[in-house]
Amino acid sequence: MKITKKEVVHVAKLARLDLDEEAIDTYTGQLEDILTYMDTLNRVDTRDISPTSHAIFISNAFREDEVKPSISVESALANAPRSENGSFVVPKVIG
Amino acid sequence: MDLCRLTIHEAHNLLTRKDITSVELTSAVFDRIGQVEDMVGAYITLVQDQAMAQAAGADEMIRQGKGGPLTGVPVAIKDVLCTEGIRTTCGSKILENFIPPYSATVVRKLKEAHAVIVGKTNMDEFAMGSSTEHSAIKVTRNPWDLTRIPGGSSGGSAAAVAADECIGAIGTDTGGSIRQPACHCGVVGLKPTYGAVSRFGLVAFASSLDQVGPIAKDVTDCAILMNGICGYDPNDSTSVPRDVPDYTRGLRAGLKGLAVGIPAEYFAAGVDEDVAQALSDAITVIEGLGATCKSVSLPHTEYAVAVYYLIAPAEASSNLARYDGVRYGFRDKEAEELIRMYSDTRSKGFGSEVQRRIIIGTYALSAGYYDAYYGKASRVRTLIMQDFNKAFETCDVLLAPVAPTPAFRLGEKLADPLAMYLSDIFTLPASLAGIAGISVPCGFSKDGTPIGLQILSKHFDEEKIIRVAYSFEQATDFHTKMPNL
C-alpha cells in the first residue's frame, strides 16, 4: 500500500481541503494507482545527477528599485468577497 | 466569401487593400459564433460590444495607414490570461466572478497591435487536463466530431479556431495544452521555448513549465501571432532578454540540408495505427523536401509522465494556495472562523481534478516524501533534458506524434485520471526540457478525426520548427480541410 486514507486526510488538511468520506475513498484509490505508477522512477539511477527546477538558465533577475504606478486600493479591493475601510475583511482569527 | 474562414494573413491583405473592414470581419465572426457555438461550446465569455468598438477603432487605424499584421483581426484568448475589465475564470468556480484589474502582457501586446478581442475560451480548470472536460463552466466539443473531446487544456481556443469562431487564438501549454488540442482540432499550435513569451498576467499553474503561445489556422498565422506576443518583459523575472526574430521571415527557406531526428521511443508500441501511418507518411514528405532523417534515441521518454505528474502538481499545490477566499474569488460565507473559511472555500471552489493534483503535490512535497518523489522527479527531469541536448547535437529538429491516439470520446477517460495522464506522454518531455514544439495537421484517422505532427527544436529555435511546419503544410493539403458543422 502506497497511501492510506489517514495520509490522504492529513495531506488534505495541510492543503486546506476538507474532504467528505466519499472523496477520501475515491482519492485514496486513485492516488494509490498514481503513486504506484510513480515508482517506475526508482528504476532510474540518479545518484550523480543534480535536480532541475528550471529549464532555462537565468541567474538573479535584478532591476532598479524605482517607484512606479501600481493599481489603486479601490481596484485591489474590487474583487474582495468582503472589504471595509480600505481593508480585506476575514472571519475572526482569535476567539 | 465567408469572411470568418479567412486566415490572419488573408484578412490582413484584404483589410489593407480596403476590400473589407474589420467591422465586417468581426461581424462575420460573431455571426458564425451565433450559428455554431451552441454545438461547439468554445467560449466562456463573449465581449461583442467591446469587440465591435475595437474593430471600428482598427478600421480607423487602417484608414490612416497605421495598421500592422494583427490590426483588426478577431482573436480569442484562453480564459487563463488576465483581461482588464473582462471576467477571467480559469474554468473554475473559485474565479467565476473574477474581473482582473490589469491585463496580461500578451493581452496588452495584442491590444497595442489593435487586434480585436472576441472573448475568453473554455479550458480545463486551472489548465489541469487533456480534454477540457475538467472545466467547471461548460463542455467544449471537437468541431470534427461533436462526440469527441477537443483536447485540452486549451480546448476552447483550438475548437474556436477550427470552427472559424475566431481568426486566431492564444493558448497556454504546461504539458501539451497548446500542441495536443491543436492536433485534435486539426489546427496549428506553437509552444514557444520557456521564457520566450511573458507569463505576466497568466494565472499560474506550474511556474517552471507554463508558457503562452499561438493557435492558428495555418503556420504563417502562427508565426504572425508569435511575432505579436513574444519578447522580454521586465514584469516576468523568468522572461529571457534576447533579440526577437521576425518569425515569418524564414518561412520559405526550405528544408535542404536539414538534419531531422526521429526519436525511436515515440514510435514504440501503444501508438494508434492511424497515427503511426500518418506520421510515417509525414516523414516521407519531409525527406522528399530535401531533409535528411535519421533515428535517434531519447531513452528517458518513458519516465516523463511520472516526472511531470509529480513536478506540475507540486508547483500547483504551492501556486493555488493563494485561493483562500480573502482577496478575490469565491468565499464560502457561512464559516465563522478563519481556518474553517479557508478549507470550506477551497473544498467548494475547486473541482475534483484540481483537488486531486493539490493533494498529489502536497504529498510529494511533504516531510518524509520530498526526496523520494519531488527530489527524484527533479533529477530524472535533468536526464530528460540531457537526452534532448544530445539529440540536438546532431539534429536540427525532431519529429514525433503529438498524441498516441486521435481525440478520444467525451467521458472516456474521466473516471481514470492515470489513463488521462498517460495520453500526454508525447508532449510532456519537451515541456520538462523547456524546448519549443509545434503541432501541424498531418492526416486523419479512419473516423475522420485530425492527426498532428509534432516538430521539436532546442531552446529558442522556433524559426526552424516554423520553417519545417510551413514546408510540410505547403506540400500537403490537410490544413485546407474544414470540419462539417
Side-chain angles (χ1 to χ4, degrees), chain A residues 7 11 15-16 18 27 30 35 40-41 43-44 46 49-50 52-56 58 79-81 88-89, chain B residues 99 194 208 238 302 325-328 331 340 343 346-347 352 355-356 359 363 369 376 378-379 382 459:
Chain A
E7 283 175 304
V11 170
R16 297 280 182 257
D18 188 18
Y27 287 143
Q30 290 172 341
L35 292 171
T40 54
L41 294 181
R43 299 207 299 258
V44 188
T46 52
I49 307 296
S50 45
T52 295
S53 57
H54 196 76
I56 302 287
I58 305 178
N79 282 286
F88 296 103
V89 176
Chain B
I99 298 176
Y194 183 87
S208 83
T238 60
E302 64 171 306
V326 174
R327 289 155 300 160
Y328 41 73
R331 173 192 293 191
R340 182 87 252 157
S343 38
R346 292 165 61 80
S347 305
S352 62
Q355 295 197 33
R356 185 158 39 243
I359 293 170
Y363 181 78
Y369 297 104
K376 184 76 184 182
S378 304
R379 286 181 163 78
T382 306
H459 293 152

Side-chain angles (χ1 to χ4, degrees), chain B residues 262 267 273-287 399 442 453 472:
Chain B
I262 314 294
F267 294 85
E273 202 179 293
D274 294 350
V275 173
Q277 187 58 53
L279 263 290
S280 155
D281 294 347
I283 293 166
T284 307
V285 170
I286 284 173
E287 278 188 313
L399 299 187
C442 75
L453 165 68
F472 177 77

